[in-house]
Amino acid sequence: MPNITKHRRFVATAVAVTLGATTLAACGGSDDDGEAQSGPAKLTYWTWTPGMDKVVDLWNEGPGKEQQITVTVKKQASGDTLVTKILTAHKAGKGPDLVQAEYQALPTLVSNDAVADIAKESGDAKGKFADGVWQQTTLGSDAVYAIPQDIGPMMFYYREDLFKKYGLTVPKTWDEFAATARKLKKEEPDVDLTTFSANDSGLFAGLAQQAGAKWWTTEGQKWKVGIDDAATRKVADFWGGLVKEGAIDNQPMYTPAWNKALNTGKQIAWVSAVWAPGTLTTAAPDTQGKWKMAPLPQWSDSENVTGSWGGSSTAVTTDSKHKGAAAKFAAWLNTDPRALTALAKEGGIYPAATTAQTSDAFAQPPAFFSHQADFYTAASEIAKTTAPSAWGPNVNVAYTSFKDAFGAAAKDKSDFGAALKKMRDDTVADMKKQGFEVSE
């Protein structure tokens, strides 16, 4: 994974620029920041994961009771809505003790001094995760800003019955993917292999990640924004070309029309992530048992890499008066076997902890894929090939620009390259407005 920051001093500099601060203690408050408080700790945890209250009950009735650390779950919305709420609460000094944070949101929270460095309190948690996953919570520094919770390695989903009906083979490369789309469209004009959707920026980010994109890196004390780098342009041109020639659909995902296309066999494949079975269960209920999962197509025969779409972590806020206690809970939640089993059962998550991916909780395939007995075995192997990612301090701005620019380009079947340039320009302009130094 490329370093988002090369060292902690740069993180502190970036934060100081944003906040107008003069000194910071590794973006995580002072060492006695709440640990001067002793005795029983009552913590609040903001999270959107379903069933989290049941998982937390295991803590409160077990190790939490023994250590006199009680956690209360406060359900929240996800995405930018939660990030905004966290930052608003932090500015008022009224943040919770713990927050669920998507990996791409961590740099924003760090640059606003909203989450604490828990490197000293995270114990041996690092060894429970793949290096690339762990690095997403360190931002390439010696600090630890969160404990990984779940991940979203990307995969290729296809209607096995319809592939057989139309004489298609599962594409192993993106060139084969394009050829398959064209063949299907030529022989079955009313059927699409898939769609390019501009309403979920994470999909495009994951595809760019697989291609080797590095959207945010640093050069000395400056940020470098590579949203329009060669790898990303390759991805944009590939999908833009397929949309322009009509080889694939251009409608957004998660709409009634998209659901219907999946459910009726008008769209027979979906580039998605490990969590796709849950979406298909509600989007295309009539197709249970007809889909199959395979690795993502590669850019060349010699490659074996995937991107990541989604995933989150558990962070301790700088507002917490019980940083050590909160870090203990965060580590337990995401590394303890019993907690991980409960997270899989109650929350439906795919855990970041490597040992949990092959635990009894994943011994059986998802109900929607009951015919693919090796679903989770294959998923764990694919997860190991996840490419490194590089997030920056204003991912939300980049994602919003993507939706606007690519949404228009997909609808009009116009140049995706121009949309990519706008996405980059909007991101750079916002960073400069915030006070970050950006190299051209």
Side-chain angles (χ1 to χ4, degrees), residues 47-64:
T47 174
W48 66 82
T49 299
M52 184 61 79
D53 51 343
K54 296 180 180 178
V55 183
V56 169
D57 283 345
L58 297 177
W59 165 266
N60 289 334
E61 295 165 5

Side-chain angles (χ1 to χ4, degrees), residues 69-87:
I69 302 171
T70 304
V71 178
T72 299
V73 170
K74 296 291 186 182
K75 285 293 181 67
Q76 305 293 326
S78 58
D80 291 345
T81 301
L82 179 55
V83 173
T84 300
K85 186 173 181 179
I86 292 169
L87 295 179

Side-chain angles (χ1 to χ4, degrees), residues 197-216:
S197 173
N199 68 346
D200 196 318
S201 319
L203 171 58
F204 184 74
L207 291 170
Q209 179 186 344
Q210 184 209 21
K214 298 177 176 64
W215 283 4
W216 284 271

Side-chain angles (χ1 to χ4, degrees), residues 50-283:
M52 184 61 79
D53 51 343
K54 296 180 180 178
V55 183
V56 169
D57 283 345
L58 297 177
W59 165 266
N60 289 334
E61 295 165 5
K65 187 175 183 179
E66 295 171 5
Q67 300 174 56
Q68 294 185 299
I69 302 171
T70 304
V71 178
T72 299
V73 170
K74 296 291 186 182
K75 285 293 181 67
Q76 305 293 326
S78 58
D80 291 345
T81 301
L82 179 55
V83 173
T84 300
K85 186 173 181 179
I86 292 169
L87 295 179
T88 301
H90 171 64
K91 288 177 182 177
K94 296 180 180 180
D97 297 278
L98 299 125
V99 294
Q100 183 174 358
E102 293 178 290
Y103 297 118
Q104 71 269 17
L106 273 176
T108 299
L109 296 176
V110 169
S111 68
N112 284 278
D113 196 32
V115 294
D117 173 9
I118 55 172
K120 294 179 180 178
E121 295 83 11
S122 60
D124 61 352
K126 179 180 179 180
K128 310 290 185 181
F129 307 95
D131 290 343
V133 173
W134 182 255
Q135 225 166 350
Q136 290 202 82
T137 64
T138 69
L139 311 194
S141 71
D142 295 329
V144 176
Y145 294 109
I147 305 296
Q149 183 166 112
D150 61 306
I151 56 175
M154 294 177 69
M155 301 156 185
F156 179 69
Y157 293 86
Y158 64 100
R159 281 283 299 272
E160 187 177 25
D161 58 331
L162 296 182
F163 262 56
K164 183 176 180 180
K165 175 182 177 180
Y166 299 134
L168 306 176
T169 56
V170 179
K172 294 184 178 180
T173 66
W174 287 113
D175 283 344
E176 291 177 6
F177 178 93
T180 301
R182 295 182 182 114
K183 170 182 166 65
L184 177 64
K185 181 54 67 174
K186 181 179 180 180
E187 298 177 2
E188 301 290 337
D190 294 331
V191 180
D192 290 292
L193 179 64
T194 193
T195 187
F196 178 85
S197 173
N199 68 346
D200 196 318
S201 319
L203 171 58
F204 184 74
L207 291 170
Q209 179 186 344
Q210 184 209 21
K214 298 177 176 64
W215 283 4
W216 284 271
T217 53
T218 60
E219 291 182 343
Q221 298 300 302
K222 294 184 178 181
W223 285 96
K224 182 177 181 181
V225 179
I227 287 175
D228 60 348
D229 62 9
T232 310
R233 285 197 298 272
K234 177 171 66 174
V235 175
D237 290 345
F238 175 82
W239 289 94
L242 291 176
V243 168
K244 187 174 183 178
E245 68 181 81
I248 61 173
D249 198 3
N250 61 346
Q251 68 172 315
M253 300 178 292
Y254 316 129
T255 64
W258 181 74
N259 291 347
K260 183 178 180 180
L262 290 175
N263 202 38
T264 60
K266 295 299 183 182
Q267 180 181 318
I268 67 171
W270 183 28
V271 175
S272 189
V274 69
W275 42 259
T279 301
L280 291 172
T281 299
T282 55

Side-chain angles (χ1 to χ4, degrees), residues 341-378:
T341 297
L343 278 172
K345 178 182 177 182
E346 304 294 345
I349 73 160
Y350 187 71
T354 53
T355 54
Q357 295 166 12
T358 54
S359 68
D360 290 344
F362 298 97
Q364 300 297 321
F368 210 78
F369 285 73
S370 58
H371 61 293
Q372 190 172 359
D374 69 341
F375 183 96
Y376 283 122
T377 302

